[in-house]
Amino acid sequence: MTPPVVRPDDPLLADEAARWASAYVHVPFCARRCPYCDFAVVVDGEPGADAGTDAYVEAVVAEIAMERPWGPLHAIAFGGGTPSRLSAVALGRIVGALRRRFGVVDGVEVAIEVNPEDWTDRFAAELLDAGFDRVSFGVQSFDAHTLAWLGRVHDPHQAEAAVVSARHAGFRSVGIDLIYGTPGEDLDRWVTTVRRALALDLDHLSAYALTVERGTALSRSILAGAPAPDPDQQADAYEAIGELAVAAGLVRYEVSNWARPGHHSRYNLATWGGAEFVAFGAGAHDHRDGVRARNVRRLDVYLDRVASGVRPRAGSERLDRAAADVERLVLGLRRVAGVRRDDLVERLVVDPAGRRLVAAGVLRVGPDRLVVERPLVTDEVSRAVLALVDRDPSVSGDDC
Amino acid sequence: MVEPVELHGLPFPMTAPSRIRNFSIIAHIDHGKSTLADRLLERTGAISERDMRAQVLDEMDLERERGITIKANAVRLDYVASDGETYQLNLIDTPGHVDFSYEVSRSLEACEGALLLVDASQGVEAQTLANAYLAIEGGLEIIPVVNKIDLPAAEPDRVAAELAGILGGSADEVLRVSAKTGEGIDELLEAIVDRLPAPEGDQAAPLRALVFDSFYDTYRGVVSHVRIFDGAIGQGDGLRFMATGLDTSADEIGIRRPRTEPVETLGTGEVGYLVTGVKEIDLIRVGDTVTHRDRPAAEALPGYREPKPMVFSGLFPTDGDDFERLRDALEKLRLNDSALIYQPETSRALGFGFRVGFLGLLHMEIVRERLEREYDLDLVATAPSVAYRVNLTDGETFMIRSPQDMPEPGKIASIEEPYVKAMIIAPATYIGTIMELAQSRRGEMGEMTYLSPERVELHYELPLSEIVFDFFDQLKSRTRGYASLDYEPADYRPSDLVRVDILLNGVPVDAFSSIVHRSEAYRYGKAMVERLRELIPRQLFDVPVQAAIGSRIIARETIKAKRKDVIAKCYGGDVTRKRKLLERQKEGKKRMKMVGQVEVPQEAFISALKLDQ
């Protein structure tokens, strides 16, 4: 008899994940910068890029050695950038360094984000050898026009082939990321993308609204008059994928994430639960001992610092009680499981702003949990939480 | 006869009244009054050509920018006439716009004569005429002057004939000058001496001086401009303001040339300024009579007719913290603008402010700009309204100056609204256009007189609210700026008026209520709900925006519920950044007002009101 498979939106799972230790590795390399992306990436030809990936891997391994002992890890996640720009051997070296430094629990999750064009059967096999059990493809769309608009280099068939290959190779969980609400993409085209995605029998699905970040090429072109994403179009797209994903047996467990039972992302569930994690690489952010710290974004500076034996910090923030309270609710309420009713929640639900949110059907107060029923307007809740904490005279800030 | 020299023990520095001339210049905006004043100053040596700054008398920035004169101002000129005598000419500046006729009458009260200045290419304008009539009624001697005769488009003969026709004299008596080139200025100065009467007054009688203007100086307190009718003021004299009973003393007296110049004495017929050190602005009122404490006059000079505000608007600081500063600024403005009345008003949408009464639209605009510039306030004004008379079914009658004060429709027997008598002067070719406009604004036509074959004077009776709304703008644009308008209050007439309320999610937004003629109610309501639908951000639920008369909805729009307001991607790595983004958004929310469960940024209300103007 097999044990019952846990649903990704299970409140007990959400609470447990808040205690998991995990590690994140940032791989900043990209073939080119996507017009909407404001992450810490280094495209070919930029400072540090010519130093090569080998030097970077050595630096990350060295940085791991600088971190205070901790663990054991429940999850290891590689993000970017494009982690698949590193060889499986190089990735394996980093995984090994993490295992040695912190230890891992049985059944540890080792996950990687991959661009479909980097995928080969051989790469799949090497990743499995290196200990990876979870892969998420940056598909973004199965619509050729939308892919071109997003500046992606793969085509829809490549993406489908990569997913099928990963499945056959034997990864425990295979998922994809999609982007919706690209200006000009009508609902029919989006639904076609979603149907093609779900036809792949995915374990995990993330769908993010196209967001205009400051300083990106997208932001500049919109300022120059190009059409901006339309929130109503995005709401339509979100509602469509929600219905289709559930019909395909996926369960939503966060604003933008769906999983088949048993296939939730442990690393993400941990961070949404406010769990602490270590992070390595240029531009990586970590959260340990009540401090959120971030590394320098520039690759050449990162390499120099690590080479001289210095932790490559760009800054840090000690979370005071107010900030910790805010994060606990703001992150926690993004989960379908919501948050446990504690003192702050009790205050929120009697606050005029909280009462309005309950009246508008955004918040639901359950017997022991508070949950968001209208995930598309979650930020309204977040701002109400911030305002509440702001007014609390017993909380004082001590930013460092 | 008691010599002033014995009264004060001072030498006799005053000019004999026979060698004093006090006069004003009456002119339409742009007809060259300030330039003429500059030229008179220069020709009499009051100011050297090198120091000449165009429009020396117009001190306020606003006056310079708009080319209009708002506040009365007085300057003394010494002129050696052709008879060899030196005359003291006091030029008392007057505003040119219709809204300021009360200031004009104050200035005229201090004069024996006036120059009626008309642009040779434009001809007589309605407001000039109205002010000229004020001067004639006040017994002033008028010297008609045609200005800008140097312009290619000048028609001095035609305009001189027009002036002669209006004043009932001969065209030969009309002087022709160019204030710009200086042509005819000498003749004008001679005419001022020859044709204007010298002030009369009893030098030996107890002091009677008229306060015809005041302003507030941060260091010196209230500074008043006075005209001595009887007796004399010496520096240090113990004084009494007869209306307020204020006892004080003359800390400093002086004249302006136009630079201030303290003097020992101001004698009968003279004009100058008076500083008492009094800082309580309520105690020194324009129109009051100053006399000596120890030898008071038996009777005050006839005071001014209190100007009556005709247009009312709510003024609110956009930053609620500025309420006290606004109160302070209004107090100071009121000192030399007795037409300005105000009382505190509270709005759900706009917070704390004042309901302020103005003489007209320009006055409203000027006051607002002065408050914003001179007192560094950022203000929002509600749509201007007039004072309505409401007759209740129980026989009671009262006046309302704000739509908020309007009783339930069921309690109202009738409402009356103020009408004005309007005079429009325009080229005859625009008669049709003007009649059409006036009719569409509920105007009733009276007389029509041809001033000349090309120019016509039309008389109308119109609801003041129509003028307050957009009549003047429309008149100007439909006649390409050629028509001029003047109006004076007529009477109250019953009218089919209703209050249109604007409801947000079923709750009235006070700042947008308006009293309008029933025929205009739908148009107003529809325009307002459409505007608010665009300006108010989407909420978590559909929000109806309605216009209503009582409980009857006449227009409706819906602000559709907001559907998406969520950060799409939030993972461990960028929590801090996302939290700060939300933090900034939350700061914006602090400035929100709650109206009927709807969060409205203050700016939305402000924009909606600003669009109205």
Side-chain angles (χ1 to χ4, degrees), chain A residues 38 209 232 234 236 239 256 272 285 292 317 327 334 356 374 376-377 379-380 383 386-387 390, chain B residues 538 540 562-568 570 573 575-577 579 582-583 585-586 589-590 597:
Chain A
D38 74 334
D232 288 333
Q234 295 193 329
D236 287 341
E239 284 167 7
S256 307
W272 296 325
H285 294 58
R292 287 197 180 272
E317 178 197 20
E327 287 194 359
R334 290 182 65 88
R356 282 198 295 279
R374 289 171 59 185
L376 271 177
V377 292
D379 285 4
E380 282 280 353
R383 289 188 291 267
L386 277 162
D390 219 31
Chain B
R538 294 162 70 175
L540 290 168
K562 133 161 90 180
R563 295 182 58 202
K564 178 181 172 291
D565 180 5
V566 61
I567 293 165
C570 192
V575 170
T576 304
R577 205 154 60 110
R579 196 180 73 229
L582 291 164
E583 196 76 57
Q585 294 172 348
K586 183 210 69 185
K589 259 183 131 64
K590 278 189 182 165
Q597 297 292 305

Side-chain angles (χ1 to χ4, degrees), chain A residues 22-26 60 63-64 67 70 77 98 102 267 276-288 293-295 302 311-313, chain B residues 572-573:
Chain A
S22 54
Y24 173 78
V25 179
H26 191 76
V60 170
E63 193 196 356
I64 289 169
E67 180 69 42
W70 195 47
L98 290 168
F102 306 108
Y267 168 70
E276 298 200 338
F277 56 95
V278 288
F280 306 98
H285 294 58
D286 71 5
H287 180 199
R288 263 200 82 178
R294 61 185 194 280
N295 279 351
Y302 173 80
R311 199 75 200 267
R313 294 301 196 200

Side-chain angles (χ1 to χ4, degrees), chain B residues 242-362:
Chain B
M242 295 180 76
T244 60
L246 168 72
D247 283 349
T248 178
S249 59
D251 282 3
E252 183 183 315
I253 52 176
I255 58 168
R256 305 190 55 188
R257 289 182 176 280
R259 288 195 183 84
T260 53
E261 187 181 305
V263 297
E264 299 280 319
T265 318
L266 285 173
T268 304
E270 290 192 315
V271 171
Y273 69 85
L274 163 66
V275 179
T276 59
V278 170
K279 300 219 173 188
E280 291 76 22
I281 53 191
D282 277 352
L283 295 175
I284 298 186
R285 289 190 194 149
V286 167
D288 203 349
T289 300
V290 184
T291 189
H292 279 125
R293 217 160 40 191
D294 51 4
R295 190 175 169 238
E299 213 176 311
L301 293 160
Y304 291 127
R305 175 171 56 94
E306 271 296 305
K308 235 181 161 166
M310 297 173 76
V311 177
F312 300 85
S313 164
L315 280 185
F316 295 84
T318 56
D319 179 348
D321 294 345
D322 283 341
F323 175 74
E324 286 303 328
R325 284 182 53 225
L326 174 58
R327 179 200 297 278
D328 193 51
L330 282 167
E331 264 174 34
K332 292 201 170 130
L333 277 191
R334 166 137 173 79
L335 173 69
N336 65 358
D337 191 346
S338 54
L340 192 64
I341 62 156
Y342 52 90
Q343 62 188 61
E345 183 172 80
T346 310
S347 157
R348 268 174 90 153
L350 302 169
F352 294 103
F354 292 92
R355 175 124 300 236
V356 186
F358 306 95
L359 295 161
L361 283 185
L362 182 72

Side-chain angles (χ1 to χ4, degrees), chain B residues 100-135:
Chain B
F100 300 103
S101 62
Y102 82 108
E103 296 237 9
V104 174
S105 68
R106 267 159 44 173
S107 307
L108 296 180
E109 199 83 21
C111 301
E112 279 74 41
L115 311 183
L116 176 58
L117 188 70
V118 177
D119 186 321
S121 64
Q122 308 265 333
V124 179
E125 307 275 359
Q127 292 150 32
T128 324
L129 211 49
N131 286 339
Y133 290 148
L134 271 179

Side-chain angles (χ1 to χ4, degrees), chain B residues 425-442:
Chain B
I425 296 180
T429 46
Y430 292 111
I431 291 176
T433 314
I434 294 168
M435 287 171 68
E436 202 182 336
L437 172 66
Q439 204 169 0
S440 74
R441 297 297 191 271
R442 300 187 282 143

